[in-house]
Amino acid sequence: MRRIIRRLLFISGVVAVLFISTPVSAATSNAGDGRWVNPISDVCWKCLFPMSLGSIQLASGPQPDTSNPSSPIQICSYGVLYRIGMAIGYWEPTAMTDVTREPGVMVNMGGFKIDLGRTGTGTAGQSDRPAAGAFYHVHWYKYPLISWLTIMTSLGCFQGGDMDIAYLSEVDPLWNDSTLSMIINPEAALFGNLVSQAACAADAVSSTAGLPLAPLFWCAGSQGSMYPFTGYTSGEFSPLESSLLVSERMAFKLHREGLVMNTVGADVAVCYEYPSPIVPKERWRYQMVNMYPETNSCHPFGASTQTWGTSHNSPQSKKNFGYLLWRKRNCVYL
């Protein structure tokens, strides 16, 4: 408990420094929507599950599980040394995203605004553009909740460190330029056709029923297409759907850039983490934490919002959203 208090005090200190170092006009120019995320009451704790030991399920969860190693005992090599441990699997809260039209608005940190200079403002809905479309900025936070609460003690089985702002789309020239983004996703040209996009209907059904289809990596299920890795969406008829789409794209983008690693639920391979240029979308979940926390459930990437989104998408919203992202963690508890 003392460690948790120290962590919260540290985060509060960081925010205080940001407020002091930010110009008054920027600090007071609040976009209106935004609140601090409570790491206890705003989190869907049952989303940690299913939890497994090897192929043995120790506890069930609200959603189906991904693959796990067959053996509960694993031998991992570290250079010339070997260590024996238990292969465990669980879902780890690993990141948060802000989705906002107004540059610099930190939705999950109380809604205050950082002055980022001459950065373009996003658009949304059908009235802002000639065609029904949108543009949003996304902020990616490192959110090592398991480390804060010391639920795990083996360093290889959780994300360590402190809460940190890991990525701001406002300072990324690729995020608002579909042509320039082709540098990191050239394969997008292969999937901009009716046949490829029609296949995403199957991914939407599968995601809503349980898990997305890994072979259809270019699909974001009910949200549309993962490509391009930008904040533009071609047709916005629901701000909630658009906010989820750009959050999922950001996860894919960070995987492609090697900034987010992946674990594998297989014997021997479970010992290590790996780069994954193609996002393993079946190993990701999300829950809303802003503006209206959804603490009773979480959802696979690409799942439809029809079953839960009505009460979380207010017509008075300034289209600022916040999500907690859960990632499947397979590791060896040493």
Side-chain angles (χ1 to χ4, degrees):
M1 182 58 70
R2 291 180 179 175
R3 183 176 179 180
I4 297 172
I5 293 173
R6 287 198 300 268
R7 297 292 189 194
L8 294 176
L9 289 174
F10 172 80
I11 295 169
S12 299
V14 171
V15 175
V17 171
L18 284 172
F19 270 113
I20 293 171
S21 60
T22 304
V24 174
S25 59
T28 58
S29 179
N30 196 317
D33 281 353
R35 55 183 291 277
W36 277 96
V37 176
N38 187 312
I40 304 298
S41 63
D42 290 346
V43 174
C44 173
W45 286 107
K46 65 182 179 181
C47 295
L48 282 167
F49 306 104
M51 183 173 287
S52 60
L53 177 63
S55 59
I56 304 168
Q57 188 174 97
L58 302 178
S60 61
Q63 300 291 337
D65 202 4
T66 61
S67 61
N68 293 294
S70 59
S71 173
I73 304 297
Q74 299 289 328
I75 301 176
C76 300
S77 64
Y78 296 92
V80 297
L81 302 177
Y82 291 84
R83 296 187 68 178
I84 298 177
M86 298 182 295
I88 65 172
Y90 72 100
W91 292 80
E92 177 188 20
T94 188
M96 287 196 305
T97 59
D98 294 333
V99 181
T100 177
R101 290 186 297 159
E102 187 168 354
V105 174
M106 315 306 289
V107 182
N108 291 320
M109 296 180 69
F112 78 91
K113 183 178 179 181
I114 300 175
D115 186 0
L116 296 172
R118 299 181 63 183
T119 304
T121 300
T123 61
Q126 301 181 63
S127 60
D128 295 341
R129 297 162 61 87
F135 175 77
Y136 289 91
H137 290 293
V138 178
H139 311 143
W140 183 278
Y141 299 84
K142 178 183 174 184
Y143 200 65
L145 194 55
I146 299 300
S147 173
W148 293 354
L149 302 181
T150 61
I151 296 175
M152 296 283 179
T153 57
S154 179
L155 292 178
C157 279
F158 61 85
Q159 177 180 231
D162 298 301
M163 179 180 175
D164 196 7
I165 302 172
Y167 210 95
L168 295 173
S169 65
E170 290 91 339
V171 298
D172 183 356
L174 277 63
W175 188 250
N176 64 353
D177 190 322
S178 298
T179 302
L180 195 59
S181 72
M182 293 285 285
I183 295 173
I184 60 172
N185 57 264
E187 73 277 13
L190 301 176
F191 303 108
N193 56 76
L194 291 177
V195 175
S196 297
Q197 295 307 309
C200 294
D203 187 53
V205 173
S206 180
S207 300
T208 304
L211 290 174
L213 298 175
L216 302 182
F217 61 88
W218 64 91
C219 297
S222 300
Q223 280 77 59
S225 175
M226 285 286 193
Y227 297 113
F229 297 161
T230 68
Y232 292 103
T233 61
S234 59
E236 178 179 280
F237 297 95
S238 167
L240 179 61
E241 294 279 354
S242 294
S243 67
L244 286 170
L245 175 59
V246 294
S247 290
E248 292 166 9
R249 284 180 177 176
M250 181 60 78
F252 199 154
K253 175 181 171 69
L254 296 185
H255 268 287
R256 176 61 57 88
E257 295 174 347
L259 300 178
V260 174
M261 304 295 280
N262 183 35
T263 58
V264 177
D267 291 336
V268 181
V270 71
C271 294
Y272 315 104
E273 291 185 307
Y274 306 90
S276 180
I278 300 297
V279 61
K281 59 183 182 179
E282 74 280 5
R283 298 176 67 85
W284 285 91
R285 296 173 176 172
Y286 68 85
Q287 68 158 111
M288 178 177 280
V289 290
N290 260 307
M291 290 294 296
Y292 309 99
E294 187 190 16
T295 59
N296 294 321
S297 185
C298 51
H299 313 278
F301 272 19
S304 173
T305 63
Q306 296 303 310
T307 58
W308 64 273
T310 302
S311 60
H312 293 79
N313 193 14
S314 170
Q316 286 81 33
S317 168
K318 290 189 177 181
K319 299 181 176 62
N320 288 349
F321 300 90
Y323 298 98
L324 175 61
L325 302 185
W326 300 73
R327 179 181 57 181
K328 176 64 181 293
R329 168 79 73 164
N330 285 106
C331 59
V332 177
Y333 195 89
L334 300 173

